[in-house]
Amino acid sequence: MTRQCSALLIVGLVLALPLDATAQARGARPPVSASSDPAAGKKVFDAQCAWCHGNDGDGGTGPNLHGRLRHATDLKSIVDIIAAGIPGTDMPSFRSPLTERSTRQTAAYVQSLSRAAARPVPGNAQRGADLYQSTGCGSCHTIDGRGGIVGPELTGIAARRGPAYLRESIVKPAATHPPGYLVVRAVPKSGPEVRGTRVNEDVFWISIRDAGGTVHTLDKSELTRVDREIDASLMPSYESRLSAPQLDDMVAYLSTLRGAR
Ligand code: HEC
Ligand code: HEC
């Protein structure tokens, strides 16, 4: 995931370069209105942002940008987010790849998206909520303070992720790893092996949370090996367990979860 992201980021940067380069070569100092031109901003968005925020801002690894934005209230705050990123999240800083002018144009385009009405997601959110209960998602995930801790909290999930990503998380969990969920398998010199997500690791100890939620803290000198399963997930795939309409309902429900996290 991360490796793929940075490769795409580089491609995105290269694509966006000519835009800024020509503007600078001409030494053009655009009038203020041109510097917040949403049409020019769309080009930057398509190259730099769409691989996370989806085409037309429909959402993916990053949130859907239609309707009211959580962090960004006006043009200036959108400019600030693009320049600085959002620390502690997957939203990167674009201060070095983008000029101030492209940043403003992109921000103007994002603002035009946020003014457009949110596009409806297919499916029925109420049925999705019932399905969430009956399928047992809550044994691993917490929503509004209730549920398990093996998977990430989902209370504000739609503010972080778009519908395409949510769908993928359910049918191919291993394809969409949020950070901090590396699956490891530790084999002790004696006793049963422990498999789960790595909670903590240093030179001497490793802590692993198993699928039941129990944290095991193991002395590394007592282990014969630790395997890091980069492509594994503790979450089962629901591809064969949910019908297509049920999957739509589940994604519709998750897309309503924009609360505090
Ligand atoms: C690597 C993925 C990624 C890329 C590339 C990316 N974003 Fe983001 N962006 C995110 C994520 C994830 C969040 C949500 C952060 C959070 O709150 O958890 C976000 C949040 C935002 C927000 C705040 C949304 C709100 O509700 O307030 C804006 C605005 C934004 N991004 C604009 C952009 C623009 C413009 C670009 C391109 C210049 C861009 N992003 C590129 C992942 C990305
Ligand atoms: C056995 C525990 C378990 C169950 C049951 C489970 N999940 Fe997960 N889920 C996880 C783990 C662990 C992750 C994070 C690691 C990963 O994606 O592989 C995750 C990730 C996710 C994500 C992505 C979160 C993010 O921040 O990117 C979503 C969405 C999700 N699960 C939804 C569901 C839904 C909906 C169900 C029920 C149909 C469900 N999960 C059932 C353990 C579980």
Side-chain angles (χ1 to χ4, degrees), residues 74-245:
D74 55 8
L75 191 65
K76 187 183 173 303
S77 52
I78 302 176
V79 167
D80 291 345
I81 286 175
I82 298 173
I86 303 177
T89 77
D90 290 344
M91 173 63 202
S93 157
F94 287 87
R95 186 164 281 128
S96 56
L98 292 183
T99 60
E100 241 169 78
R101 179 164 179 255
S102 315
T103 301
R104 283 188 66 83
Q105 289 170 335
T106 313
Y109 175 65
V110 170
Q111 193 175 39
S112 74
L113 292 178
S114 73
R115 284 180 179 150
R119 268 180 246 213
V121 179
N124 177 304
Q126 184 53 54
R127 279 201 306 262
D130 296 343
L131 197 56
Y132 179 93
Q133 298 301 336
S134 61
T135 318
C137 312
S139 65
C140 291
H141 292 283
T142 294
I143 294 178
D144 291 333
R146 288 223 315 273
I149 53 164
V150 173
E153 166 152 17
L154 298 180
T155 307
I157 189 70
R160 297 197 295 278
R161 315 289 193 195
Y165 176 102
L166 295 172
R167 181 176 296 268
E168 177 119 327
S169 314
I170 301 169
V171 296
K172 284 199 200 81
T176 53
H177 271 311
Y181 287 88
L182 177 69
V183 176
V184 294
R185 194 169 65 99
V187 185
K189 286 176 182 154
S190 63
E193 65 175 51
V194 178
R195 186 169 179 272
T197 46
R198 182 183 60 181
V199 181
N200 234 317
E201 179 169 4
D202 67 15
V203 187
F204 305 107
W205 301 90
I206 184 166
S207 302
I208 302 173
R209 178 179 288 124
D210 68 23
T214 308
V215 176
H216 305 257
T217 298
L218 306 169
D219 181 341
K220 283 184 166 177
S221 67
E222 298 296 319
L223 302 174
T224 53
R225 58 189 290 180
V226 179
D227 294 334
R228 284 153 227 281
E229 304 179 11
I230 310 281
D231 295 324
S233 172
L234 289 193
M235 174 164 158
S237 165
Y238 288 86
E239 191 162 19
S240 57
R241 290 197 239 173
L242 299 179
S243 67

Side-chain angles (χ1 to χ4, degrees), residues 49 52-53 63 69-72 82 89-91 94 160 261:
C49 321
C52 282
H53 287 287
L69 299 180
R70 248 178 0 136
H71 296 279
I82 298 173
T89 77
D90 290 344
M91 173 63 202
F94 287 87
R160 297 197 295 278
R261 47 178 170 146

